[in-house]
Amino acid sequence: MVKISKEAALAYHEEGRPGKIEVKPTKPYRTQTDLSLAYSPGVAYPCLEIQKNPNDVYKYTDKGNLVAVISNGTAVLGLGDIGAMSGKPVMEGKGLLFKIYGGIDVFDIEINEKDPEKFCDTVERIAPSFGGINLEDIKAPQCFYIEERLKKTLDIPVMHDDQHGTAIISAAGLKNALEVAHKKIDEVKIVVNGAGAAAISCTKLYCALGAKKENIVMLDSKGVITKDRENLTPQKELFATSRRNIHTLQEAIKGADVFVGLSKGNILTQDMIRSMAKQPIVFALANPVPEISYEDAMASRPDVLMSTGRSDYPNQINNVIGFPYIFRGALDVHAKAINEEMKMAAVKAIADLAKQPVPDIVNTVYHVTDLTFGPKYFIPKPVDPRLITEVSAAVAKAAIDSGVARKNITDWHTYKENLKQLLGQETKLTRKLHDTARLHPQRVVFAEGGHPTTMKAAVQAKQEGICQPILLGNVDRLTRLAKRLELDLTGIDIVDMRADKEQGRRATFAKHIAEKRAREGLTFEEAYDKMYERNYFGMSMVETGDADAFITGLYTRYSNTIKVAKEVIGIQPGFGTFGTMHIVNSPKGIYFIADTLINRHPNNNILIDLARLSAHTVKFFNEEPVIAMLSYSNFGTDIEGSPVQVHEAVSYMQEHYPDLAIDGEMQVNFALNKELRDEKYPFTRLKNKNVNTLVFPNLNSANGAYKMLQALSPDSEIIGPIQMGLNKPIHFTDFEASVADVVNVTAIACIDAYVEKVKATHMDK
């Protein structure tokens, strides 16, 4: 675990803009009309609508996506009662987590009031502003009263996360740990060390899962809580024991199946763990120092199932696995509360998620490839992107079923897709590509079948119904790799181009290309040798109809791939070159960028081809091309170098394609700023149009542009490269491409292949 110094933490909070969160407008505000709509006089209309129908506040304001994180600073982290103002950094941090994991807006509110009655009065008065309230870092037992009162007096979700967040996550972990240990929850003996807000809530939820109260022993700082103890709070009295003569942790833990620590560090010894039952479950959740270190616990006995609150060890119990998604689901149905049914739905959704195959992004973050359900992985990782869909949907459904929802959801598939888009996991464009490809799945050859990224992408594409994958590679090697990665290759073809049984196919491919390139000096023998290379063999499969599309690029240099593509597939008639395009799906819209990989120093004829290919490709994605051909000068202001070539290409395109919205040469800021361009150059053919296609003057500028956007715009999605101009669907990837990148390109390749088939059918008729 990275050691955090005081200096680094203070600098993080101070440098740049102080703090961790900000408020951003969600509507236009630059013009006088915008401001008149946002405020006076336009704002009066939604006010009057809300007056007529109070629930319209969810329709016209951010209430339905706004949570208040409220604290009085009486129990901040492990620091204790440090005061409301001192706790503000924690509340801002909670707001940050709500936003990045759940897409939820937050105002952090620190109330300088320790009296529970006055605290509740304040919260009740400000509650109309919010769709939900997250209580934070309020000491026990006051926190119990505060939450219960606010749940009764308010008609929006209220949750004290210190209680219920830990309870929900640990309950999900306990449910799965018991399954791994082959134990039943109604039979196990549980020791809970700690009797604060989190411990009480955890134990209540364990009982709701089926744990027997008589099998639970709870301890506080004075030892085992017994019935004969004086001055017990109602919460502690609920779990006081009277049946056994035990007083210390050492006595309580002997023979126990489960230990849950919500207390302080280093109070559990190896001998205590050795005294527990077979396959003991130890949740040492004190932070940052657990009740026993992971190393000591594992050294005490090999069969222990261990969880901590730390990210550097397996099975982290982390509240961020729960609260953003619980509130997300509650807000999305305009829930009046977060009830027990919703909490239990979250428990089961989190537990079930750990049993599903782990996404590539999770393995990548934790630098592992073997996360599978078992002793070292029985609870999802906080970075798992599926949490927002599975947990939020489960909570929303439970709210509807239990009658606390104001809004109904009937199309759960669309709801989950919208959640993915909310956090940028998936966009409408990506989903549209995948849905379109699924309508007509094609046979796709993957050149680098033995590359883990390729194999994962192929399996995912197969599972999503996007394509019928064909992996090139040695069968035994790929089978071993799949086993190591725990991937199911059922239904996926593996073709070993070097195997003896492929001798006939190699000869057929070699004969085909030798005849095709005979006038270029290519002999059959040379062609046959080339068929031992994956790009020649895979592209030949597409060329001869053994497959529909081909994906390559994770290993191969572009220069080699380009050469092979020209030899085997060839360039479309009427063009002198082919190119590639990247799609930038940004918060400001979708932009098509060409040529990002192929043509280093294009002359005006190549630029003309790239403009034509770009127009065709943009239409392929059901968009109307509005093309700016770029340079460092505007409309003939420089009469030397590349601007001249771009100028000539634009003149040709405008003459031969008069209906096409294309102009240049122009600088990129004028291309993207319609008002600036139209004011300065009112003669442009692009007047009143928003440019969506950028054709750069050379490879250096195009490649640099999309990679700069990729690096500087984390909110933008980059899709590509997309091949333009080859006779068959041959598509490339980057060596740094992720599984998602390869799946996206695969979807495009499948659509490309189907479109080509439809064209061929129409031509035959």
Side-chain angles (χ1 to χ4, degrees), residues 314-381:
N315 302 313
Q316 182 190 18
I317 304 295
N318 189 328
N319 284 21
V320 80
I321 295 173
F323 70 82
Y325 315 115
I326 294 166
F327 271 95
R328 179 76 274 158
L331 291 172
D332 289 340
V333 294
H334 303 167
K336 299 176 183 178
I338 293 175
N339 57 25
E340 297 307 310
E341 292 89 342
M342 295 160 74
K343 294 176 195 172
M344 189 58 69
V347 170
K348 293 177 179 177
I350 292 167
D352 290 345
L353 193 57
K355 301 172 189 177
Q356 300 177 22
V358 177
D360 185 60
I361 187 174
V362 178
N363 285 321
T364 300
V365 168
Y366 288 90
H367 305 290
V368 295
T369 58
D370 59 348
L371 281 181
T372 55
F373 184 69
K376 292 186 178 181
Y377 177 73
F378 51 75
I379 194 160
K381 296 290 187 182

Side-chain angles (χ1 to χ4, degrees), residues 72 113-122 141-143 145-146 149:
N72 61 4
E113 180 57 69
K114 295 182 180 180
D115 182 273
E117 296 289 345
K118 294 179 180 178
F119 182 91
C120 288
D121 287 343
T122 303
Q142 290 89 334
C143 62
Y145 171 79
I146 288 171
R149 171 171 158 177

Side-chain angles (χ1 to χ4, degrees), residues 495-555:
V495 174
D496 187 349
M497 59 191 179
R498 296 177 180 271
D500 291 340
K501 69 177 184 179
E502 289 296 335
Q503 195 169 10
R505 187 145 52 166
R506 282 200 305 274
T508 300
F509 294 165
K511 182 174 182 292
H512 178 83
I513 191 174
E515 291 175 351
K516 190 175 182 179
R517 301 295 175 190
R519 289 289 180 178
E520 298 171 20
L522 183 66
T523 66
F524 172 81
E525 290 75 16
E526 290 173 318
Y528 191 82
D529 286 342
K530 290 178 185 292
M531 290 306 148
Y532 285 98
E533 296 180 30
R534 61 172 66 91
N535 282 331
Y536 275 102
F537 190 93
M539 290 188 199
S540 293
M541 290 181 70
V542 177
E543 174 68 6
T544 58
D546 283 2
D548 303 308
F550 179 74
I551 307 292
T552 187
L554 286 170
Y555 286 138

Side-chain angles (χ1 to χ4, degrees), residues 652-662 685:
Y652 178 92
M653 291 297 296
Q654 290 185 341
E655 179 182 351
H656 290 82
Y657 300 92
D659 295 330
L660 179 65
I662 184 170
R685 188 177 286 195

